[in-house]
Amino acid sequence: MTDSDKKNYLFLLGGGTLFGLYVLYIYGPIPQCQSYMEFADKDKMLGIENAFDVISNFPFLLVGLLGLKKISQSETLKIEHENLISYQLFFLALVLMTFGSVYFHLSPSNDTLFWDRLPMGVSFMALVSIVIGEFFSASKGRASLIPLQLISIMSVSYWLYTESIEASDLRFWVFIQFYPMILIIFLLMKFPLKYTHKIGYWWVLGLYALAKVFELYDKEVFDLLSHKVSGHTLKHLIAGIGVYILLITFEKRRAIPTN
C-alpha cells in the first residue's frame, strides 16, 4: 500500500469519525438504563461492599503497572517510540481505571461512575492513537492523541451533565466505547501491521466483546453460577486478560521489514 493510499484512508477515517459523531447527534438522547447500577452480586467480604466487583478490577492495576515498567526498560516492548506517550497513557489509564472502578463499585452513583468512565475513555482513545501510529505512522498517531482525548473527556463530562439536569444521554459515551473496536477491526482487515503478532489486537477485541456480553447478562450469569460469580465480575476479569495478552504481544512481536 502506497503512502498516498494510506493518506486517503486516513482522511476517510477522520471523515468517518466526524460522520459517526454527527449521526449520534441527530439520533437524539440515549438514556442510561434506570437499573444500570443494580448489580447482581452485592456480597460483602472482609468489610468490602460488593466485594467481587471491587476486587476483580485489580488485574487492570497489575497489567497497567507491568506495562509502565516494561516501557521504562529500553527495547523491552516493540513499540513506536515516537508515539511513546500514547503507550504510557494507555497503561497509566489502566491503573487509574482500577481505582476509578473500585471507587464506583464501593458506592455506585453517577458521581462515582464518572471516575470509572473517565480513565476508561482515556484508555480507549490512547489505544486508537496507538493503532493509528502502528498502521499509518507514529507521527500521525501522536498527532491524533490530544484530539481523541478531548473527545473522550467531553463525552463523559457531557453524560454527567445530562444526568445532573435529569436528561440522561449516553450517546457520545456509546461512541467512545464502540468506535475504537470498529476502527481497529477496519485497520486489521485493510492494512498490514508493521509488526508480527497482529493476533494480539484480535484477542483484545474479542475478549472485550465477550466482556460486554457478560456485563449485559450480569444477573443471569450470577444465577447460572449459583450466586458465586456475577457477569460483571467476569467482565472485569476477561477484559483484564485481554489487555494482558496485548501487552505480551507488544513484548514478543518483531518489526516486519518494509520493501
Side-chain angles (χ1 to χ4, degrees):
M1 182 173 291
T2 66
D3 289 341
S4 177
D5 290 334
K6 286 187 175 182
K7 185 176 180 180
N8 291 336
Y9 271 117
L10 193 60
F11 278 118
L12 177 63
L13 290 173
T17 301
L18 294 175
F19 179 72
L21 288 168
Y22 175 71
V23 169
L24 283 175
Y25 173 75
I26 63 175
Y27 180 84
I30 301 175
Q32 181 165 275
C33 179
Q34 292 292 325
S35 62
Y36 177 78
M37 298 181 201
E38 294 297 321
F39 299 108
D41 190 352
K42 302 181 188 301
D43 289 348
K44 185 175 182 178
M45 185 176 66
L46 301 176
I48 302 174
E49 300 287 347
N50 311 312
F52 286 110
D53 283 350
V54 169
I55 296 169
S56 58
N57 282 287
F58 282 91
F60 296 117
L61 177 64
L62 297 176
V63 175
L65 291 175
L66 185 59
L68 290 172
K69 178 183 177 181
K70 288 182 180 295
I71 286 175
S72 69
Q73 298 170 338
S74 179
E75 304 303 324
T76 299
L77 300 184
K78 283 68 174 180
I79 58 178
E80 299 290 303
H81 288 280
E82 189 179 344
N83 192 25
L84 182 64
I85 190 171
S86 293
Y87 297 90
Q88 293 171 324
L89 191 57
F90 174 69
F91 289 111
L92 176 61
L94 294 179
V95 174
L96 298 176
M97 193 165 68
T98 304
F99 294 106
S101 188
V102 166
Y103 181 46
F104 167 60
H105 283 288
L106 285 172
S107 180
S109 70
N110 287 328
D111 289 336
T112 57
L113 181 55
F114 173 83
W115 295 107
D116 182 16
R117 285 178 171 167
L118 184 62
M120 196 183 305
V122 169
S123 70
F124 291 158
M125 289 314 204
L127 185 60
V128 172
S129 174
I130 287 169
V131 298
I132 289 174
E134 292 187 356
F135 283 91
F136 290 100
S137 72
S139 61
K140 288 181 173 60
R142 184 182 60 194
S144 71
L145 181 61
I146 291 178
L148 289 170
Q149 291 301 329
L150 288 175
I151 292 173
S152 171
I153 293 168
M154 287 190 293
S155 74
V156 183
S157 300
Y158 172 77
W159 159 74
L160 186 62
Y161 168 72
T162 62
E163 293 290 348
S164 71
I165 61 172
E166 299 183 352
S168 178
D169 188 359
L170 275 174
R171 59 185 141 164
F172 298 114
W173 173 245
V174 170
F175 175 83
I176 293 302
Q177 284 198 87
F178 294 104
Y179 166 73
M181 295 180 65
I182 296 170
L183 174 63
I184 294 172
I185 289 171
F186 174 80
L187 293 176
L188 287 170
M189 295 179 67
K190 288 289 185 179
F191 288 85
L193 184 60
K194 297 178 182 180
Y195 301 93
T196 60
H197 292 73
K198 182 187 285 191
I199 190 67
Y201 282 116
W202 285 114
W203 270 107
V204 77
L205 289 172
L207 289 176
Y208 180 73
L210 181 61
K212 295 301 291 184
V213 172
F214 276 102
E215 178 185 35
L216 183 62
Y217 293 99
D218 180 37
K219 186 178 185 303
E220 291 81 355
V221 172
F222 192 56
D223 292 339
L224 182 65
L225 298 179
S226 304
H227 293 192
K228 300 296 183 183
V229 182
S230 72
H232 203 90
T233 293
L234 290 175
K235 169 207 169 183
H236 292 158
L237 296 174
I238 292 168
I241 292 170
V243 291
Y244 178 70
I245 291 174
L246 183 62
L247 172 60
I248 294 302
T249 60
F250 283 166
E251 186 172 20
K252 292 186 176 299
R253 67 187 184 174
R254 64 183 186 277
I256 298 174
T258 56
N259 295 326

